[in-house]
Amino acid sequence: MVLGHESSGVVVEVGEGVTHLKPGDRVALEPGVPCRMCQHCKTGHYNLCPEMEFAATPPYHGTLTEYYTHPADFCFKLPDNVSYAEGALMEPFSVAIHACRRAGVTLGSSVLICGSGPIGLVNVLAAKAAGATFICVYDINGGRLEVAKELGAHHTVIIDPKKSPEETAQDICNQSGFPLGFDISIECSGAESSMRTGIFATKPGGKMTMVGLGHPDVSLPVVDGSIVREVELRGSFRYCNTYPTAIQLASSGLVNLKPLLTHHFKFEDSIKAFELVHSNAPGVIKVQIWNGDENTRL
């Protein structure tokens, strides 16, 4: 099984009928290709297509290869000031843009981001770009919370995993200056305890959007946490119509994705890249595998 779904590259050849791309164009690849015919696709929700062909999801091979054939309408040209390295980050950044849209982040929103892994960190960038005026991030990993601050988080909290979700939520809200809770919570870890914390840290009438994928069956405080407090629970799956926005934000300078890029390896050293990620070493966020002239990577 060939892995890889966060990708950018250069067009080598185009098929008959392709007019918006030509050999030599630099592109970011949106890795999911829907059927374009079902009700979900026709109503603009193609990320929910039941026939989605997604790179590196069996039985479809991924993009960690020298050449990859992809539908032209899911290849997006990169401006000259957006590097290949940043282009590959359009995929996780798109996850965040879609999550913030689902959550309704707008001017003046207070946002709690649950988890400071790569998806949590790109949600910091997306929420800030959407107009959030206060962003708090919590995690058990203090190192990644420092990166969250660098990306624009206004406050971070290292949580105690021994405390209950209710206690943790109240601690976060009190420390952040929002004792009644945040307008919006975006859960990015997929951990049940974090989902519960996010619900309790959302103010009455607020929204909780769940992005992280964990165990398929979790126990959530739906009655006390959601129903009687009218906290709206929403799911967010991958992305939909987000790549153009992601590229524009990076090109305009409104977001800076480069702090996420902590390590890179040559194509022939791919195994070392996977070993580094597996080691869970401090300071590792995004590890990229690069096949080409090192001078053009960034």
Side-chain angles (χ1 to χ4, degrees):
M1 184 71 206
V2 179
L3 300 177
H5 68 272
E6 301 179 6
S7 312
S8 63
V10 61
V11 175
V12 176
E13 186 176 348
V14 298
E16 183 180 352
V18 176
T19 58
H20 73 288
L21 295 174
K22 64 183 185 303
D25 283 343
R26 302 164 56 255
V27 295
L29 275 63
E30 182 172 345
V33 181
C35 74
R36 304 177 178 85
M37 298 297 292
C38 69
Q39 182 180 11
H40 298 299
C41 289
K42 289 185 176 181
T43 56
H45 305 286
Y46 65 83
N47 59 318
L48 305 179
C49 174
E51 303 297 326
M52 176 75 74
E53 298 180 4
F54 197 85
T57 298
Y60 309 107
H61 285 297
T63 58
L64 188 56
T65 180
E66 188 172 2
Y67 296 99
Y68 189 79
T69 302
H70 201 60
D73 55 333
F74 284 89
C75 297
F76 296 86
K77 290 180 66 173
L78 294 173
D80 291 341
N81 66 337
V82 177
S83 67
Y84 287 115
E86 293 168 294
L89 291 177
M90 293 303 110
E91 197 277 343
F93 187 38
S94 283
V95 172
I97 292 173
H98 186 60
C100 286
R101 287 176 175 175
R102 291 283 295 156
V105 180
T106 187
L107 295 173
S109 296
S110 59
V111 179
L112 174 65
I113 295 175
C114 314
S116 60
I119 296 301
L121 294 175
V122 289
N123 266 280
V124 173
L125 292 170
K128 184 179 179 181
T133 51
F134 191 89
I135 301 170
C136 176
V137 187
Y138 73 76
D139 205 317
I140 59 174
N141 186 322
R144 285 187 169 176
L145 289 178
E146 290 302 315
V147 179
K149 290 179 182 178
E150 181 182 350
L151 295 177
H154 301 90
H155 188 68
T156 60
V157 179
I158 300 176
I159 63 171
D160 182 354
K162 297 179 181 179
K163 287 189 175 183
S164 70
E166 294 89 339
E167 291 177 309
T168 301
Q170 197 58 62
D171 287 346
I172 294 169
C173 293
N174 289 339
Q175 290 183 38
S176 303
F178 292 85
L180 297 181
F182 293 82
D183 297 329
I184 292 164
S185 294
I186 302 176
E187 207 297 307
C188 300
S189 74
E192 179 179 311
S193 60
S194 183
M195 293 180 186
R196 296 175 68 91
T197 296
I199 291 173
F200 285 119
T202 306
K203 74 176 186 182
K207 294 185 179 69
M208 162 78 167
T209 296
M210 292 173 284
V211 184
L213 298 176
H215 195 279
D217 295 311
V218 296
S219 176
L220 298 180
V222 175
V223 175
D224 293 339
S226 177
I227 295 175
V228 300
R229 299 172 63 241
E230 292 194 353
V231 171
E232 184 175 342
L233 303 182
R234 291 188 173 188
S236 182
F237 186 57
R238 292 177 181 158
Y239 31 75
C240 188
N241 299 308
T242 54
Y243 264 63
T245 299
I247 292 170
Q248 289 166 9
L249 286 170
S251 178
S252 70
L254 286 173
V255 300
N256 180 15
L257 295 164
K258 289 185 178 181
L260 299 170
L261 301 169
T262 56
H263 300 79
H264 69 276
F265 290 83
K266 294 181 179 179
F267 191 78
E268 57 267 29
D269 296 325
S270 296
I271 296 299
K272 295 180 181 179
F274 285 103
E275 289 173 343
L276 176 62
V277 173
H278 183 66
S279 73
N280 200 30
V284 176
I285 300 177
K286 295 300 292 184
V287 179
Q288 288 190 340
I289 295 170
W290 172 248
N291 184 25
D293 181 359
E294 183 64 25
N295 294 325
T296 63
R297 184 178 68 89
L298 293 172

